[in-house]
Amino acid sequence: MRDPDNMLAQQGRSPEFLSSANIEAVQTEYEVLHLMRQCAGHFGFSHFMVARFPANDQQRFAERLLVSNWPAELVRKYDAMSLFHVSRLAVDTGMTKLPVQGDSALMAPADWENAQAGEAIALAESHGLSASTAFLLHSTTADPYLMVFSGTRAPLTRPELAELHFAALQLFECLEKTFVAVTAGREKLSSREVECLRWAAAGKSSDEIAIILGISVYTVSSYFKSATRKLQAVNRMQAIAIALRLRLI
């Protein structure tokens, strides 16, 4: 058992893996992912994720994810439910500057009359997300993000919560550094490429985008291919997610 007095004495002190040297060395999202995995393990969590805060239902959950070790099946099924923007996770963290702790019901709609509440809770528990601690964090440009650690451990004590909160701020600063590095290393998108990505993020198909912009479907496809290459993405969905994160659309 961790000594409460010793923990209070160490409150505000970074865990060893978040040393100044480690933080300064971070250049890529993969390195942030590695630090977050260490942080989760340090506090007894199995899962973690960072996502853009859901202001509405325009973007899918998967497109908002930045860094995560959630299983692909969990992401896919939760995405299909379209609950992220109305979940207790989003609603509760959006109403406070303090950390939010809760059980698997955090994944469910804040409106308990929603028929999908039970399904969301069962999905979370089936993947070991029976307890979560979430933080609402803001970038230097005031954009809101959610950082969540989940697992099966008991709720954090007050000293543990303070320690994790400080670690979350350090991790998010590392992640924001990668935004700047990525932006500098990517080619500038054309206005047409931006338009295509923006309409795709709004849920429009290539055929619909072609009609809206008055161009052929083949041309729309060409714009997506060039935008995907410039953003160093592997597919259209990832290109949209990167463009959203970089505030290009």
Side-chain angles (χ1 to χ4, degrees), residues 9-233:
Q10 295 185 16
Q11 185 171 326
R13 185 182 304 171
S14 302
E16 185 177 345
F17 58 87
L18 284 177
S19 65
S20 297
N22 286 344
I23 290 175
E24 291 174 3
V26 169
Q27 296 292 328
T28 66
E29 288 181 11
Y30 178 79
E31 291 168 326
V32 176
L33 181 72
H34 180 65
L35 288 179
M36 290 203 66
R37 185 173 286 111
Q38 288 183 293
C39 184
H42 178 79
F43 289 94
F45 291 107
S46 55
H47 295 79
F48 58 83
M49 68 97 162
V50 181
R52 290 173 59 89
F53 191 84
N56 51 52
D57 62 352
Q58 292 301 306
Q59 282 84 42
R60 299 168 50 198
F61 172 64
E63 293 170 349
R64 290 186 171 277
L65 275 181
L66 302 183
V67 177
S68 167
N69 73 338
W70 282 24
E73 180 186 13
L74 173 60
V75 173
R76 179 179 58 78
K77 289 184 176 180
Y78 194 58
D79 197 14
M81 292 181 183
S82 298
L83 296 178
F84 188 41
H85 64 293
V86 294
S87 67
R88 279 189 53 206
L89 187 61
V91 174
D92 290 3
T93 54
M95 296 175 64
T96 180
K97 295 180 177 65
L98 299 175
V100 170
Q101 296 194 86
D103 56 20
S104 53
L106 283 178
M107 297 277 287
D111 176 11
W112 278 100
E113 295 183 0
N114 190 303
Q116 290 181 293
E119 187 180 352
I121 292 173
L123 177 65
E125 292 182 347
S126 69
H127 285 84
L129 278 65
S130 59
S132 295
T133 299
F135 305 94
L136 177 61
L137 304 171
H138 290 84
S139 68
T140 52
T141 53
D143 296 312
Y145 293 81
L146 269 177
M147 182 178 292
V148 186
F149 293 91
S150 305
T152 57
R153 61 153 292 163
L156 276 69
T157 64
R158 189 179 183 88
E160 285 179 309
L161 198 56
E163 186 183 353
L164 178 57
H165 197 179
F166 185 60
L169 292 171
Q170 291 177 290
L171 288 166
F172 187 71
E173 184 166 328
C174 288
L175 182 60
E176 193 170 8
K177 278 172 53 181
T178 70
F179 297 171
V180 177
V182 166
T183 302
R186 289 190 166 119
E187 297 178 50
K188 184 177 180 180
L189 297 181
S190 70
S191 59
R192 280 300 201 189
E193 289 165 347
V194 170
E195 284 182 302
C196 287
L197 289 172
R198 182 178 292 125
W199 283 114
K204 301 298 182 182
S205 67
S206 292
D207 289 342
E208 292 171 320
I209 295 172
I211 293 171
I212 292 170
L213 299 181
I215 56 180
S216 70
V217 176
Y218 175 81
T219 303
V220 170
S221 178
S222 296
Y223 283 133
F224 277 128
K225 287 180 180 178
S226 58
T228 299
R229 176 185 57 78
K230 289 180 180 180
L231 292 172
Q232 299 172 24

